[in-house]
Amino acid sequence: MTVTFGEEITLLSLDDQSGAVRDRQACQWAVAGGIVLELVVAGRVSVDDGRITVADTAPTGVRLLDTRLGMIDAWAAGKRRPPKVTEWLTKDKGKALDAALESLAERGLVGREQRTVLGMFPVRRFPGTDGTVERELRARLGDVVLRGAEPDDRSAGLVALLHGAKLHRLAFPDLPRREVAPRMREISEGQWAGSSVRKAIREMEAAMTAVALVTMRS
């Protein structure tokens, strides 16, 4: 089973016991960015100089991605020039995270629970199921960040998204940021991926860094 960047970040964000999203504000930016990066890698959109353009509307076969692709296409069509990718992330961040949660639940990777708090406020939680995919994901991140393994394109992209959004502790909750940030930066800036993927990774990392600064100031 291929898990998308957005779903991977969402899995890392979930508390295994409560099913609540940790670091929700920063996480929703990273999930929205992960979906865009996935569409870039799939050849459906391009991001150049911080602006997003739809290149191909053909379905990818993944509902999470295809829904966003249609939304980006309709939204960008109303603009006189290619819009900034940060505009899209701002528009979609909350909805993208909710969509990724639902996608994980539909695929059986997390459960879905809903209860009412104080008798009137509905709250949804997504507790873990068997945890196999998350364990494999954390092991892969540990190999490339902590043990020096050479990352593949997908690992490099995920690390760049996490690093740009300042979500180091989601991936490595037991380690201080100063111990993992240098290696994550090295991966983000390295030559691991092919040229087109590397360009997309750097564009999205730049967008994540920009919105992370806005988030920290707000």
Side-chain angles (χ1 to χ4, degrees), residues 5 36-48 153 156-157 190-205:
F5 289 126
V36 172
L37 179 57
E38 198 81 57
L39 289 170
V40 172
V41 172
R44 300 308 193 270
V45 306
S46 62
V47 179
D48 295 294
D153 289 0
Q191 303 296 312
W192 319 104
S195 59
S196 60
V197 175
R198 184 168 65 249
K199 179 178 180 296
I201 288 172
R202 289 180 177 171
E203 290 275 6
M204 292 313 302
E205 188 192 13

Side-chain angles (χ1 to χ4, degrees), residues 137-191:
L137 171 59
R138 291 189 181 278
R140 176 159 57 92
L141 286 171
D143 284 343
V144 299
V145 175
L146 304 179
R147 293 179 282 279
E150 183 172 328
D152 58 16
D153 289 0
R154 296 199 62 81
S155 297
L158 179 59
V159 168
L161 288 164
L162 293 168
H163 179 66
K166 313 300 182 189
L167 288 172
H168 309 81
R169 64 181 176 179
L170 287 188
F172 304 101
D174 299 325
L175 295 174
R177 178 180 166 183
R178 66 178 181 275
E179 291 189 17
V180 297
R183 173 60 176 167
M184 293 177 78
R185 183 185 306 110
E186 178 188 4
I187 292 170
S188 302
E189 297 174 352
Q191 303 296 312

Side-chain angles (χ1 to χ4, degrees), residues 6-147:
E7 290 171 320
E8 287 179 328
I9 294 167
T10 304
L11 271 178
L12 293 172
S13 78
L14 289 173
D15 181 274
D16 291 337
Q17 300 303 315
S18 70
V21 176
R22 296 167 294 186
D23 291 320
R24 187 180 186 95
Q25 189 174 17
C27 183
Q28 61 188 7
W29 291 104
V31 171
I35 292 173
V36 172
L37 179 57
E38 198 81 57
L39 289 170
V40 172
V41 172
R44 300 308 193 270
V45 306
S46 62
V47 179
D48 295 294
D49 294 326
R51 295 185 179 275
I52 186 169
T53 304
V54 175
D56 185 354
T57 58
T60 66
V62 178
R63 185 163 68 171
L64 176 65
L65 303 181
D66 292 338
T67 299
R68 258 59 211 166
L69 177 59
M71 292 168 63
I72 294 169
D73 188 43
W75 172 74
K79 308 290 184 179
R80 288 193 293 180
R81 60 177 299 191
K84 293 181 178 180
V85 68
T86 50
E87 292 180 48
W88 171 253
L89 300 181
T90 301
K91 177 181 176 64
D92 192 49
K93 61 184 190 299
K95 295 176 182 178
L97 176 57
D98 288 341
L101 286 164
E102 290 296 335
S103 180
L104 288 171
E106 290 170 2
R107 300 173 75 176
L109 298 179
V110 299
R112 186 195 288 110
E113 299 175 355
Q114 182 163 324
R115 62 178 183 272
T116 302
V117 176
L118 301 177
M120 58 186 300
F121 300 107
V123 175
R124 293 185 307 160
R125 292 290 185 264
F126 296 83
T129 51
D130 69 358
T132 301
V133 173
E134 183 182 351
R135 285 193 296 272
E136 291 175 350
L137 171 59
R138 291 189 181 278
R140 176 159 57 92
L141 286 171
D143 284 343
V144 299
V145 175
L146 304 179
R147 293 179 282 279

